[in-house]
Structure formats: C-alpha cells, structure tokens
Amino acid sequence: MKSMIHTAVCGILTACVAGFSAIAVSETIEEKYQRACHVCHASGVANAPKVHDPEAWKPRLDKGMDALVSSIKNGMNAMPPGGLCADCTDEEYKALIKFMSEPKQ
C-alpha cells in the first residue's frame, strides 16, 4: 500500500514538474536538485537513496554512471521515467547523481 501511495505521489509530482520545466532554463545543479529531486531524495521516499549519504549511494554507484542514468531515464521502482526532471540532459543527470551521492560540503 505504501509503495502504491509513493508511486502515485511521484506521478503527480512528475506532472507538476513537467509544467515548470519550461521555466527552468539556466538552473544550477543545486537548483535542479531542489526542483526535481528533493521531494524524494531528501527523505528517502520509497527507498530513494538520501541526498549526501555516500553509503546509500555506493551500491548504485558500483553499477556505473551509465547504468544509473539509464535507470533514471527508464524509471525505477517508484521513480517515474525521467525522475522528476523532464528537461534534464544525460550530463545533468550525471551531475545530479554526483551532487546527491557526495557528502554535504
């Protein structure tokens, strides 16, 4: 039941973010994180690895960056295809993964 609720919440958020993507032309990676990733990765919704928690990210990073980007683009578990960043490029996805997987500075 929790998984269904998380999936529904992330789906609704995807629709909202898609509406804002036209506005997000020149955001920094931190701004993109706040807009598109924060909702799930700040609290670990549906087992999303928490931001700035290298231990949570390690098993994912061990798969390689290309595999992680593929997971984002295709969706994984409760994360819809593209995550919540409808306008992200592969390079931005990589930068977001790096930002989220490194310890807070």
Side-chain angles (χ1 to χ4, degrees):
M1 183 67 176
K2 275 186 173 181
S3 180
M4 288 175 41
I5 292 170
H6 293 299
T7 301
V9 168
C10 285
I12 291 167
L13 291 171
T14 298
C16 293
V17 169
F20 292 113
S21 66
I23 300 169
V25 175
S26 61
E27 294 174 303
T28 66
I29 289 303
E30 285 121 11
E31 289 168 337
K32 276 201 186 277
Y33 163 77
Q34 288 296 328
R35 176 176 59 84
C37 308
H38 178 264
V39 171
C40 297
H41 288 279
S43 62
V45 169
N47 295 318
K50 289 184 181 180
V51 66
H52 305 306
D53 183 350
E55 288 302 311
W57 282 92
K58 184 177 181 343
R60 292 156 176 91
L61 291 170
D62 288 345
K63 296 176 185 178
M65 191 61 76
D66 290 336
L68 285 174
V69 170
S70 178
S71 293
I72 295 168
K73 291 170 80 171
N74 295 314
M76 180 161 225
N77 301 324
M79 183 176 65
L84 296 179
C85 192
D87 63 333
C88 281
T89 65
D90 287 2
E91 293 307 311
E92 288 170 320
Y93 285 135
K94 290 175 184 178
L96 284 162
I97 291 166
K98 184 178 179 194
F99 171 78
M100 289 189 288
S101 66
E102 292 180 346
K104 189 169 183 165
Q105 297 182 4

